[in-house]
Amino acid sequence: MLLPGGASCAGLARRAVDGLLIRHGLAELRDTARLAVSELVATAHRFTPDRETALRVRRQYDALRIVLHDQHPAHARPDEAERCRDRRSMWPLGAAVGEQGGDWGLAPALTADGGTKSWAFQHR
């Protein structure tokens, strides 16, 4: 799902994921999935305001995987890159998915233009 950017995209993404999980019989995962989507989208907005992001949600190997790609530009200096990787605001997400045996993380997107891939997964 492509999100156009902007602070309101977190709500749009939450509603889309909520409906998706209900339709596929995964309603018990909704609370943590909504939190994960909110945190991933909000953090992407913080680092790349008003830039398009791509959200992917899928069930694989009895786990729900949520991945968000943003357009955060690559950094020329390692210290700048490290500041962006240090996303301490993500601790609520880490606590929520960790409680269910899941995890979260982020990595540079492997594209010439940069970008970041952030993700969360939770077990069913």
Side-chain angles (χ1 to χ4, degrees):
M1 161 184 221
L2 290 179
L3 299 169
S8 64
C9 287
L12 174 67
R14 273 193 310 271
R15 288 187 296 277
V17 168
D18 198 47
L20 179 73
L21 294 177
I22 290 170
R23 282 191 305 277
H24 289 276
L26 300 169
E28 73 275 10
L29 302 177
R30 287 168 47 208
D31 290 341
T32 304
R34 283 190 301 234
L35 174 66
V37 166
S38 292
E39 293 294 324
L40 295 175
V41 171
T43 300
H45 175 69
R46 179 176 153 219
F47 287 95
T48 55
D50 301 321
R51 303 285 302 269
E52 186 176 77
T53 57
L55 176 67
R56 186 181 72 194
V57 179
R58 63 190 273 201
R59 181 177 170 203
Q60 181 181 17
Y61 306 119
D62 210 29
L64 182 68
R65 299 179 186 279
I66 300 168
V67 179
L68 186 81
H69 290 269
D70 67 33
Q71 298 181 43
H72 190 76
H75 293 285
R77 294 183 10 216
D79 61 320
E80 292 173 345
E82 190 57 37
R83 272 198 309 269
C84 286
R85 279 193 292 275
D86 184 18
R87 298 184 182 197
R88 291 187 183 130
S89 63
M90 301 289 274
W91 70 265
L93 173 60
V97 297
E99 199 171 276
Q100 297 180 352
D103 202 1
W104 76 276
L106 58 106
L110 301 176
T111 67
D113 296 330
T116 300
K117 175 176 92 170
S118 52
W119 51 269
F121 76 90
Q122 64 186 92
H123 294 285
R124 182 162 190 208

